[in-house]
Amino acid sequence: MIRKLLATGSVIAVMTAAPAVAADVTACLITKTDTNPFFVKMKEGATAKAKELGIELKSFAGKVDGDHETQVAAIETCIADGAKGILLTASDTSSIVPAVQQARDNGILVIALDTPLSPIDAADATFATDNFKAGELIGQWAAASLGDKAADAKIAMLDLGISQPTVGVLRDQGFLQGFGIELGDPNKWGDETDPRIVGNDVTQGNEEGGRRAMENLLAKDQSINVVYTINEPAAAGAYEALKSIGRENDVLIVSVDGGCPGVQNVKDGVIGATSQQYPLLMASLGIEAIKTWADSGAKPATTPGKDFFDTGVALVTDKPVDGVESIDTAKGTELCWG
């Protein structure tokens, strides 16, 4: 049958198999951490769908964002346990590839969630936000919000990790292109020459890291007036660093996630705009794909024109600008997670 799922106003058609007895089907979910609200919601979605389809789900997570070794060990455990499928948000999108190939060689369907592997076809499929578009939306919004002042902006780039996982590169590069900054190598961040970029620092995707990275870049240039952040926990940390020097009201912060705390921060003026993604949808579709693989050997299809399955993105702001489609925080709250 075809199930239609509503995501940010667009209908996505997904092929699914009819429910069947699947007590002998085991799936694994391996996330970067088990504390970030994004991955908490992802686990909830996978757990609920696995229960519905009669699949045994085993969950694993890194100790912190960037804990590659724990993720490799989890893949090895899933292989030993005879799992039919693995849902993976990789911390190191290149170094994880040999372990992923080992799983695939053992007949396991490997689906990347949110974070594409490098190369993307190292996984059997990817269910994700269009992370470049997510970055591009907040870049376009920031540039339009500043107007003529965008030409003299001082931008802090608060990225994810020094290994430059694909999700971080895509959001960073999307933001810069949306803001109107010429990219260097689009497959990495930090090589741009535009003088408006004060610098890049890494956050590990958490509040403490966001605060530390913001402090480091403020030490370099206290005139920063635009802050790109990899996600909303990092944005919250950046805001606290700015608040500590009385700059919280004159710096534009943008981010990606769309969790309920982040949407509330948009409503409260902490974040100017955020790009909302849908982790529960990613995870539930991933479990359905593993069920279909176990039943028929069929692999998931991609979104037409893309090399992954696009689970949707929407810009959330209460200060819309011409030419950039957005939803307000009331609608963002209806769709948020965490």
Side-chain angles (χ1 to χ4, degrees), residues 13-293:
V14 183
M15 294 300 299
T16 64
V21 176
D24 59 341
V25 177
T26 300
C28 292
L29 173 67
I30 305 172
T31 55
K32 296 177 185 178
T33 73
D34 58 7
T35 54
N36 186 310
F38 183 85
F39 301 123
V40 171
K41 182 54 63 174
M42 187 175 279
K43 183 177 178 180
E44 288 178 10
T47 300
K49 183 58 66 173
K51 183 177 181 180
E52 176 188 330
L53 298 181
I55 292 174
E56 181 184 1
L57 179 67
K58 298 182 179 181
S59 298
F60 306 84
K63 299 178 181 67
V64 294
D65 203 317
D67 182 4
H68 167 71
E69 290 76 13
T70 296
Q71 291 195 317
V72 170
I75 291 175
E76 292 171 348
T77 297
C78 295
I79 294 171
D81 287 349
K84 285 291 186 180
I86 295 173
L87 305 180
L88 171 68
T89 62
S91 286
D92 190 321
T93 50
S94 298
S95 298
I96 200 75
V97 168
V100 168
Q101 187 59 52
Q102 184 182 359
R104 295 177 69 186
D105 290 344
N106 278 273
I108 299 174
L109 183 76
V110 180
I111 298 176
L113 299 183
D114 177 56
T115 304
L117 299 188
S118 182
I120 193 169
D121 62 2
D124 291 292
T126 301
F127 292 159
T129 307
D130 186 331
N131 281 294
F132 189 91
K133 181 179 179 181
E136 191 171 36
L137 284 170
I138 54 176
Q140 291 170 339
W141 179 87
S145 296
L146 288 174
D148 292 341
K149 294 180 180 179
D152 300 312
K154 295 291 186 180
I155 305 170
M157 301 295 294
L158 272 58
D159 291 296
L160 184 53
I162 57 174
S163 67
Q164 299 206 17
T166 54
V167 64
V169 173
L170 289 165
R171 293 179 188 180
D172 174 300
Q173 298 290 279
F175 167 81
L176 292 176
Q177 180 164 295
F179 198 85
I181 289 175
E182 184 176 352
L183 304 181
D185 180 350
N187 297 307
K188 63 180 181 181
W189 52 254
D191 63 346
E192 293 77 25
T193 59
D194 194 302
R196 289 176 289 181
I197 302 173
V198 171
N200 299 69
D201 209 325
V202 296
T203 66
Q204 282 71 52
N206 59 53
E207 186 169 343
E208 180 182 353
R211 183 185 298 109
R212 182 181 61 252
M214 190 73 252
E215 290 171 348
N216 290 342
L217 291 173
L218 284 168
K220 187 174 181 180
D221 189 339
Q222 285 216 354
S223 67
I224 288 168
N225 62 353
V226 178
V227 180
Y228 154 84
T229 61
I230 178 65
N231 64 9
E232 291 157 0
Y239 177 82
E240 290 303 317
L242 290 163
K243 187 176 180 181
S244 71
I245 61 169
R247 294 284 318 282
E248 72 273 20
N249 295 320
D250 60 356
V251 178
L252 197 61
I253 302 176
V254 293
S255 197
V256 178
D257 258 351
C260 296
V263 173
Q264 184 63 45
N265 274 346
V266 174
K267 185 176 182 179
D268 293 342
V270 172
I271 300 172
T274 193
S275 286
Q276 187 171 63
Q277 48 184 347
Y278 303 97
L280 191 150
L281 179 61
M282 294 177 199
S284 60
L285 290 177
I287 292 294
E288 288 187 349
I290 292 172
K291 174 67 167 62
T292 301
W293 168 254

